[in-house]
Amino acid sequence: MQPVKCRESIFDILALDYDGWFEDEGKLIFAIEAEAFRRVLPSLPKPWLEVGVGSGRFAQALGIENGIDPSAGLLGIARSRGINVVRARGEEQIFKEGGFGTVFIIVTLCFVDSPLSVLRETHRVLYTGGKVVIGLVLSDSPWGRFYLIKKKQGHRFYKHATFYRYHEVANLLEHAGFAIERIISTLFQKPNSVAAMETPREGLFSDAGFTVIVAEKVAEGDYKAKKERPIRI
């Protein structure tokens, strides 16, 4: 998991430290997480938007064309990587309704003031049948417990985090008008022990450090049928 993208004042000051993590201790972790996203890319409708684009590392690696973030410092780096960026928070209405096919929220949901507001705005900017793709560390995973300790210790990034269990994220998605259709798990190596590339696994695993959730925007009348569609867990 890369250092978090959260409050503007932190990342305007620490933008270079944040981005440097990807070239140092986080290089292999980033590669493992990016590979999990690549499993789902072929099925995702375009155009694409990343909410909380940060310095554009994931956007560049995955081919995400557009991004928003509240940090001017990070957006300057993302712009240099060829990403079309706008300075904004995820709950702000800056795009037209139904203008995107897929919205990525990568290690960002845990650091926003109102996850439900961000997901509802995501729902608004997607056309019906569009997808939201969330990448996060679940609170009851080995990595979640590791970062919760850092949070309690007042870590400069993680002290702002609110980590969630899978059922809490699923509940947020349901209330925002999404139906989960696919889950990918990865980062099975323990914290401070990541030494090799991993192959992502289909489904939800309690010992995975990183989880990718794909959910579809559904029309209100179609939600019950979509919700009852089985997913692989």
Side-chain angles (χ1 to χ4, degrees):
M1 173 186 175
Q2 73 277 14
V4 302
K5 299 170 279 189
C6 55
R7 302 175 191 267
E8 176 183 354
S9 59
I10 296 172
F11 289 103
D12 281 338
I13 297 171
L14 301 174
L16 292 178
D17 289 343
Y18 167 87
D19 191 63
W21 179 90
F22 292 89
E23 296 293 342
D24 190 17
E25 62 178 300
K27 190 170 186 177
L28 183 55
I29 297 172
F30 171 70
I32 290 170
E33 295 175 352
E35 185 61 26
F37 285 106
R38 291 190 182 99
R39 283 290 186 94
V40 304
L41 294 185
S43 65
L44 302 178
K46 289 195 173 187
W48 293 351
L49 168 71
E50 183 180 355
V51 171
V53 69
S55 61
R57 289 279 184 171
F58 275 106
Q60 182 184 50
L62 303 178
I64 303 170
E65 308 98 328
N66 310 286
I68 64 170
D69 201 282
S71 170
L74 289 176
L75 288 181
I77 302 173
R79 191 177 290 111
S80 73
R81 294 195 164 105
I83 314 303
N84 301 316
V85 297
V86 177
R87 189 178 182 186
R89 298 183 180 275
E91 60 269 34
E92 293 183 56
Q93 293 190 7
I94 60 170
F95 297 113
K96 67 179 182 179
E97 183 174 349
F100 291 98
T102 300
V103 173
F104 295 80
I105 306 176
I106 304 175
V107 197
T108 294
L109 198 66
C110 301
F111 303 95
V112 299
D113 293 333
S114 175
L116 184 57
S117 296
V118 171
L119 288 173
R120 283 176 171 163
E121 174 58 14
T122 295
H123 188 275
R124 189 188 70 83
V125 302
L126 286 170
Y127 52 71
T128 299
K131 316 287 185 181
V132 61
V133 181
I134 299 175
L136 77 171
V137 174
L138 296 173
S139 64
D140 51 352
S141 71
W143 284 81
R145 292 189 290 271
F146 174 70
Y147 287 118
L148 282 170
I149 292 173
K150 286 185 173 289
K151 174 183 172 72
K152 292 177 182 178
Q153 293 172 341
H155 188 279
R156 59 181 179 170
F157 295 121
Y158 304 113
K159 66 182 179 181
H160 300 287
T162 302
F163 294 97
Y164 300 97
R165 296 175 181 267
Y166 170 76
H167 76 271
E168 293 173 315
V169 179
N171 188 54
L172 285 167
L173 285 166
E174 178 180 343
H175 280 81
F178 292 97
I180 295 174
E181 61 179 24
R182 192 174 182 186
I183 301 172
I184 304 291
S185 299
T186 194
L187 200 57
F188 291 93
Q189 297 167 83
K190 298 298 185 291
N192 297 321
S193 301
V194 179
M197 192 63 186
E198 294 185 16
T199 300
R201 303 180 194 175
E202 195 85 26
L204 180 66
F205 293 85
S206 61
D207 57 339
F210 192 76
T211 303
V212 175
I213 301 171
V214 181
E216 181 180 356
K217 173 180 177 174
V218 293
E220 185 175 351
D222 296 334
Y223 184 76
K224 187 174 185 296
K226 293 283 188 180
K227 181 181 177 183
E228 292 174 353
R229 178 188 299 170
I231 61 172
R232 290 167 283 187
I233 61 172

